[in-house]
Amino acid sequence: MKKLLEISLGIVTSVGGFLEVGSMATAAQAGATFGFQLIWAVVLGTICIIFLVEMAGRFAAMSHHTISDGIRERFGFNVFLWPFLAALLVNFMVLSAEIGGVAIALEFATGIGFQWWALPAALLAWLLLWKGTFGFIEKGVSILGLVTLCFVVGAVMLKPDWKAVATAAVPSLPAHDGANYWFMAVSILGASISPYLFMFYSSGAIEDHWDESYLGTNRAIAGMGMTFGGTISIGVLIVAALVLATHGIDQVNDYHQLPLMLIPIFGFWGFILFVASLAIACFGAALEVGLQQAYLVAQGFGWAWGEDRKPRDDPGFSAVYTLSLLLAAVPITLGIDPLKLTIFSMALTAASLPLTVVPFLFLLNDERYVGEHRNGFISNAAVIFIIALGFVLALVTIPLQILGGT
C-alpha cells in the first residue's frame, strides 16, 4: 500500500511538473503555425524523457549516486567539467525563462509590467527553498500544477479530428516555412528533454533514500507520469492549432496572445485558468531548476547538500540557489522578451544534450554502478537516436534563426 501511494503521488507530481514555460510556449507556437503537424516532436521528446527519467531513478537506486556524482567519479573532474558547464549555462537560461513565465502571469493578473515582477518572483522562490523541505518542493507545488490539465479538457471539448491528431504523431516534412518548422521541432525536443528534469529526479531519489526495492516504483512513475505530462503538452498544441488559427494568429510572437487559447473554450474562466497554469507551472519549475543548480554545483565539488538540511549545515548549497535565482531574474528585469528567451533556450538545450546524456549512458551500461540492471539495446538506441536528432537539428537551425533575426 505504501508503494502504491508513492507511485500515485509520484505520477501526480510528474504530471504537475512536466508542463512549464518551455513546453507551453513551444507547443503553442507549433500549434499556431503548423497545426497538428509537430505532435510527433512532442511524442519523441516524451519517449526520450521516459527513458532518461527511468534511467536516472534506476541509477540512483542501484548506485546510490546522483548523475553528477557518477560522471565526476567515473570520468574524473576534467571530463565532468564539460557537462557541468553546459548544464549550468542551460539551466540558467531555463531558470530565467521560468521566472519570466511567472512574471508574465503576474502581469496578466495585475496589469503591472512583467519586468517589475521578476525580482519578487525570484525572492519568493528563494524563500520557499530556504524554509521548505524537499517533499514540499517536489510534491506540494507540483500537485497544484494539475491545473494544467485544463488544456487536455479544452482539447477534448474542441472535438478535433482525432484521426488527423494520430497521423501527426508520425514525423512528416513541412508544407511551408521549413527552417522555422525544424527549429520548432528542436525547441519542442529541448523543452521535453531538459537535463534538469532527469538530473533533479536522480537527486530526489537520493534525498528519498531509494534502493533496489524501488525499481518497480521508478518504472511506473517514469512511464505513466511522463506520458501524462506529454499528453498535456499535446493538449496545448491542439488547443493552439484550433483556437489561435481561427483568430488569425498563425505566429505566436507576443506572450499577450497566449491567453486567447482558453478564453473561447471556458470564457472568462479560461483567462483565469491560463494565468493560474502559467504561474503555478513556471513557479514550480523555477523552484526545481534553482534547486538543481545547487545540486549540480554541490555534487560537482563534493560539498554537503540536501534540501532537507538547514542552510547553516550546507552554506555552499544554499548560496548557489540564492545566487542562481537572483542572477536569473536580472535578464527579465532588464526587459528581455521572456517568450523569445524561452524558445531559444529550449533549442540550445537540445544542442547541449549529448554533453550530459552520453556520459550518463556509459554509467548505465557499467556493472560497477548498476550491477545486472544495465541498459538494454532498446533503451540505448532510442535515447541515442532522439538525442542525435535533436543535436543535428539544433546545429542546423539555431544559426539560421540567429541570422534571420539580424
Side-chain angles (χ1 to χ4, degrees):
M1 179 60 85
K2 180 183 177 182
K3 288 291 176 65
L4 183 61
L5 179 61
E6 289 178 345
I7 291 172
S8 301
L9 191 55
I11 291 171
V12 168
T13 301
S14 299
V15 173
F18 188 96
L19 191 72
E20 35 72 57
V21 69
S23 301
M24 193 178 296
T26 54
Q29 192 163 73
T33 307
F34 298 104
F36 300 154
Q37 201 173 2
L38 278 166
I39 285 177
W40 66 265
V42 181
V43 172
L44 273 186
T46 303
I47 291 172
C48 191
I49 197 62
I50 287 173
F51 278 114
L52 287 171
V53 166
E54 188 280 328
M55 291 176 195
R58 173 160 41 99
F59 180 75
M62 294 304 301
S63 69
H64 306 293
H65 285 69
T66 64
I67 295 172
S68 298
D69 281 336
I71 294 175
R72 179 172 56 84
E73 181 181 275
R74 171 69 171 77
F75 298 101
F77 186 80
N78 288 338
V79 173
F80 167 75
L81 189 61
W82 294 104
F84 170 79
L85 292 175
L88 207 61
L89 173 62
V90 168
N91 285 349
F92 172 78
M93 294 181 67
V94 173
L95 179 57
S96 189
E98 301 299 348
I99 291 174
V102 178
I104 290 170
L106 290 170
E107 178 182 320
F108 287 145
T110 65
I112 300 172
F114 69 85
Q115 299 94 328
W116 297 99
W117 289 110
L119 284 173
L123 179 61
L124 180 59
W126 169 81
L127 184 63
L128 289 180
L129 289 178
W130 188 268
K131 294 292 186 180
T133 63
F134 180 79
F136 174 78
I137 302 301
E138 182 190 33
K139 300 178 175 67
V141 178
S142 293
I143 289 174
L144 294 177
L146 288 176
V147 68
T148 57
L149 287 170
C150 64
F151 287 101
V152 177
V153 175
V156 172
M157 291 175 64
L158 288 170
K159 298 179 180 179
D161 181 347
W162 292 110
K163 183 178 180 181
V165 170
T167 301
V170 178
S172 59
L173 296 175
H176 64 91
D177 196 3
N180 191 36
Y181 176 87
W182 294 113
F183 181 73
M184 287 310 308
V186 77
S187 296
I188 290 172
L189 289 175
S192 302
I193 320 171
S194 195
Y196 89 83
L197 286 170
F198 55 90
M199 296 181 81
F200 180 84
Y201 188 83
S202 78
S203 297
I206 297 298
E207 293 260 33
D208 289 337
H209 308 291
W210 280 16
D211 55 28
E212 189 172 0
S213 67
Y214 279 82
L215 292 181
T217 301
N218 174 54
R219 283 191 292 270
I221 293 173
M224 298 176 68
M226 295 300 116
T227 297
F228 290 161
T231 301
I232 300 174
S233 291
I234 292 174
V236 174
L237 191 150
I238 292 173
V239 170
L242 295 179
V243 172
L244 295 183
T246 61
H247 286 77
I249 301 173
D250 59 5
Q251 185 73 32
V252 179
N253 47 30
D254 186 341
Y255 58 84
H256 289 99
Q257 297 168 313
L258 294 176
L260 293 174
M261 288 192 291
L262 294 179
I263 291 174
I265 306 171
F266 300 107
F268 175 73
W269 281 104
F271 176 79
I272 301 297
L273 286 169
F274 179 84
V275 171
S277 296
L278 184 65
I280 294 171
C282 293
F283 187 72
L287 290 173
E288 291 188 359
V289 181
L291 195 52
Q292 176 52 35
Q293 289 288 73
Y295 283 141
L296 181 64
V297 174
Q299 292 161 10
F301 289 97
W303 299 347
W305 61 274
E307 173 59 11
D308 291 335
R309 297 163 64 100
K310 298 292 184 183
R312 64 174 177 269
D313 296 329
D314 50 10
F317 179 81
S318 304
V320 172
Y321 66 67
T322 300
L323 191 60
S324 296
L325 286 165
L326 176 63
L327 292 178
V330 172
I332 306 303
T333 302
L334 294 176
I336 290 181
D337 187 330
L339 183 60
K340 292 180 180 178
L341 175 63
T342 298
I343 300 297
F344 184 77
S345 65
M346 295 304 108
L348 193 63
T349 296
S352 71
L353 281 171
L355 287 171
T356 303
V357 173
V358 171
F360 180 42
L361 287 179
F362 275 98
L363 296 177
L364 264 297
N365 288 276
D366 191 331
E367 287 184 346
R368 290 173 295 178
Y369 287 95
V370 292
E372 63 182 11
H373 297 283
R374 290 177 298 172
N375 273 2
F377 172 78
I378 294 177
S379 298
N380 288 325
V383 170
I384 290 171
F385 170 75
I386 297 172
I387 296 300
L389 175 65
F391 177 70
V392 171
L393 288 177
L395 286 185
V396 173
T397 60
I398 289 177
L400 292 176
Q401 287 293 314
I402 294 174
L403 292 174
T406 58

